[in-house]
Amino acid sequence: MLTEVADGVFVHEAEFVQSNSVIVRGRDGALLIDPGITRAELSSIASDLDDLGLRVVAAFSTHPHWDHLLWDARFGDVPRYGTAGCAASARTQLAPEAKAEIIAHLDGTGIEDDVPMELFGLVSGLPEGAAEVPWDGPRVRIIEHAAHAPGHAALWIEDRSVLVAGDMLSDVLVPMLDFDGTADPFADHLTALGLLEEAAADAAVLVPGHGSVGGPGAVPARVAHDRAYVEALRDGRSPDDARIGPDARAGWEWVADVHAGQVAALSRRREVSD
Ligand SMILES: [Zn+2]
């Protein structure tokens, strides 16, 4: 089911980790951002687009993690963009062994047989530093940063006042730092939060990669929330954060394990550098 969150901007919320796909109506078709997860859901998005009389003319993956790189043949053979860094990372995941590893990681989630890998990861990199997505529709500005994943980008659709945040600013997931990818994941994450706030503090709509769509005021509120988490983690304090507390939303208790994993990764990293 597609929900229209702003004029010509639609969101499909998947069952898996409340993943959001975004569709933006352009002059001659739609831009599809982070297409979706399971075969059935990708296919239902394709049907919903048919019902709206929209065909996909371009796509964009916010970052090179598997759940943002999937595709269904029904969307057609159109350019699937990402930043240069996103495309470079996606390319390393195209080998059959890499794809098999992704499916192996999904074992036990219940969707391991439902994720289509045939057209996975075929992302064309935009030129280094590209400022917007090349397509015939409302201007979609690229806010690239190094938090969470290489070549990660949020998209700011200024005319519609919509921020598509990628895997940032979630109300259910804590910030997940890229401990393996960068020299200073804390600085990178805090810088990214600053960029999102600077570009889109007044956004009327915030669509995170996973979690609930937010309204006016959601960008600064979630930036502050994520900043507090990242600073606590960095400084070795226990974050006072409902997402990992005893009152975490039902079904999301595992986010506390993600946090514990980050604390462990951090202490390993500090041991190595000491
Ligand atoms: Zn994700």
Side-chain angles (χ1 to χ4, degrees):
M1 189 189 73
L2 298 183
T3 305
E4 190 166 17
V5 296
D7 181 26
V9 182
F10 304 85
V11 174
H12 171 90
E13 185 188 295
E15 258 176 59
F16 180 77
V17 198
Q18 213 178 335
S19 309
N20 293 311
S21 305
V22 179
I23 289 123
V24 187
R25 187 169 54 213
R27 214 185 309 272
D28 193 29
L31 172 68
L32 174 57
I33 305 165
D34 291 348
I37 312 288
T38 62
R39 279 176 225 281
E41 283 178 326
L42 289 163
S43 180
S44 92
I45 292 172
S47 299
D48 289 344
L49 288 172
D50 285 347
D51 292 347
L52 289 171
L54 281 176
R55 67 191 175 93
V56 176
V57 292
F60 189 90
S61 286
T62 56
H63 62 290
H65 286 164
W66 72 269
D67 50 326
H68 302 260
L69 297 173
L70 296 158
W71 194 252
D72 186 290
R74 286 179 64 190
F75 297 139
D77 186 11
V78 302
R80 295 163 59 186
Y81 299 117
T83 65
C86 173
S89 170
R91 255 192 311 278
T92 67
Q93 303 173 55
L94 295 179
E97 315 81 73
K99 290 187 185 181
E101 206 172 303
I102 290 167
I103 293 297
H105 269 297
L106 291 174
D107 197 25
T109 59
I111 62 162
E112 56 272 29
D113 297 327
D114 304 328
V115 177
M117 297 303 280
E118 299 83 10
L119 298 170
F120 169 86
L122 303 174
V123 173
S124 307
L126 292 171
E128 213 59 73
E132 46 189 277
V133 178
W135 84 300
D136 191 10
R139 185 169 168 230
V140 177
R141 214 185 109 199
I142 295 170
I143 307 167
E144 187 175 352
H145 58 76
H148 180 65
H152 198 171
L155 299 178
W156 172 227
I157 312 164
E158 191 166 14
D159 284 357
R160 304 291 183 272
S161 197
V162 176
L163 178 68
V164 179
D167 279 6
M168 306 285 286
L169 310 187
S170 172
D171 60 329
V172 284
L173 296 177
V174 289
M176 294 188 198
L177 278 69
D178 186 9
F179 282 113
D180 300 321
T182 81
D184 191 343
F186 294 102
D188 288 338
H189 215 101
L190 294 169
T191 300
L193 291 172
L195 289 173
L196 299 186
E197 188 168 42
E198 193 184 299
D202 299 333
V205 180
L206 161 64
V207 187
H210 306 274
S212 316
V213 173
V219 170
R222 292 195 194 174
V223 164
H225 194 177
D226 279 0
R227 192 178 277 141
Y229 173 89
V230 172
E231 288 176 350
L233 184 66
R234 179 194 63 192
D235 300 342
R237 288 180 280 114
S238 220
D240 176 18
D241 195 310
R243 294 173 292 193
I244 53 172
D247 301 325
R249 264 165 55 188
W252 293 84
E253 297 81 2
W254 55 271
V255 179
D257 299 334
V258 170
H259 169 62
Q262 299 206 99
V263 172
L266 178 60
S267 75
R268 274 197 305 276
R269 210 180 141 94
R270 288 190 171 151
E271 269 165 33
V272 171
S273 64
D274 277 350

